[in-house]
Amino acid sequence: QVQLVQSGAEVKEPGASVKVSCKASGYTFISRHISWVRQATGQGLQWLGWMDPESGNTGYAQKVRGRVTMTRDISTGTAYMELNSLRSEDTAVYFCARGPRYWGQGTLVTVSS
Amino acid sequence: DIHMTQSPTSLSAYVGDRVTISCRASQDISTYLAWFQQKSGKAPKPLIYAASSLESGVPSRFSGDGSGTDFTLTISSLQPEDFATYYCQQYDGYPYTFGQGTKLEIK
């Protein structure tokens, strides 16, 4: 069965970077795009971007463009989302997803001094 | 970007009630529409994909309808475990966008 397993919670200081991983299993990793979504406490779902694992092509939401990089390691079937120059408003749970139907469990990123 | 508008943003209902949540897209998205249920602190749980296809394991009291720009999620007889927040998402084209959510509360 399709599974997406994310890395654990992170605490970062403002200005730092965070890299969240999403390990895929149960399907051919390069056959489906991976998206990233985040949700701040009490807020809605915000789509951050997508990556084609086969080509490495990406597309990012305007709100995080310039600070976010999505990459992958085909050998391990793992997707990564790195966010730089962290601010307090980046505190959120970050999810990876394959299409609308398969989601990771979420990774809490807390930005605090 | 395609804008998704959900209504209502909050809803109070009794166990056993039939409820309908609406989602409108700012342009034609065919049937590239999904519905999710979310309980606090958890990942969104997919309920419906392709506007009307029920995910495996989701109770049949949930149903989806619509195409083009107007969509609905209906719960035929509310159960206590259905009180949660519901989101729609279009996946016709990037950026995939979500509705703002509908919080369903017990009356």
Side-chain angles (χ1 to χ4, degrees):
Chain A
Q1 73 282 19
V2 175
Q3 278 195 306
L4 300 173
V5 178
Q6 298 183 223
S7 48
E10 302 263 14
V11 179
K12 297 290 183 180
E13 294 192 345
S17 297
V18 68
K19 191 170 185 177
V20 179
S21 67
C22 171
K23 183 169 175 59
S25 62
Y27 72 101
T28 301
F29 177 63
I30 60 171
S31 67
R32 295 285 191 272
H33 291 193
I34 294 285
S35 293
W36 289 87
V37 173
R38 72 180 179 184
Q39 185 174 41
T41 302
Q43 302 299 307
L45 298 164
Q46 181 184 32
W47 185 86
L48 299 178
W50 63 272
M51 180 193 63
D52 177 350
E54 182 173 27
S55 64
N57 289 344
T58 55
Y60 304 133
Q62 189 167 8
K63 193 169 178 68
V64 292
R65 198 173 297 154
R67 293 198 299 132
V68 70
T69 306
M70 296 176 187
T71 57
R72 88 288 193 212
D73 181 338
I74 295 175
S75 67
T76 62
T78 304
Y80 299 92
M81 188 283 304
E82 184 170 21
L83 189 60
N84 302 317
S85 303
L86 288 168
R87 312 159 182 164
S88 58
E89 54 264 40
D90 293 319
T91 295
V93 179
Y94 288 74
F95 299 99
C96 61
R98 196 203 89 173
R101 303 184 62 190
Y102 302 99
W103 289 64
Q105 82 277 19
T107 298
L108 175 62
V109 175
T110 303
V111 182
S112 174
S113 54
Chain B
D1 296 2
I2 300 172
H3 187 68
M4 306 300 292
T5 304
Q6 271 182 249
S7 61
T9 55
S10 65
L11 178 58
S12 295
Y14 293 103
V15 171
D17 279 355
R18 177 185 181 92
V19 299
T20 297
I21 299 168
S22 296
C23 183
R24 174 166 287 179
S26 61
Q27 64 188 67
D28 189 340
I29 59 169
S30 185
T31 57
Y32 294 102
L33 191 283
W35 289 97
F36 303 93
Q37 178 192 71
Q38 191 179 36
K39 299 183 179 179
S40 57
K42 301 294 187 183
K45 175 185 177 182
L47 300 174
I48 302 281
Y49 65 99
S52 60
S53 295
L54 197 67
E55 287 284 356
S56 175
V58 174
S60 59
R61 62 181 179 272
F62 290 91
S63 63
D65 196 14
S67 66
T69 60
D70 292 301
F71 303 87
T72 57
L73 172 70
T74 298
I75 310 172
S76 60
S77 177
L78 276 172
Q79 298 303 300
E81 60 269 28
D82 299 338
F83 292 92
T85 300
Y86 293 84
Y87 294 93
C88 62
Q89 182 195 30
Q90 68 80 18
Y91 55 102
D92 181 51
Y94 293 128
Y96 292 172
T97 42
F98 294 91
Q100 68 271 49
T102 296
K103 187 172 184 178
L104 179 53
E105 297 176 310
I106 295 179
K107 186 179 284 186

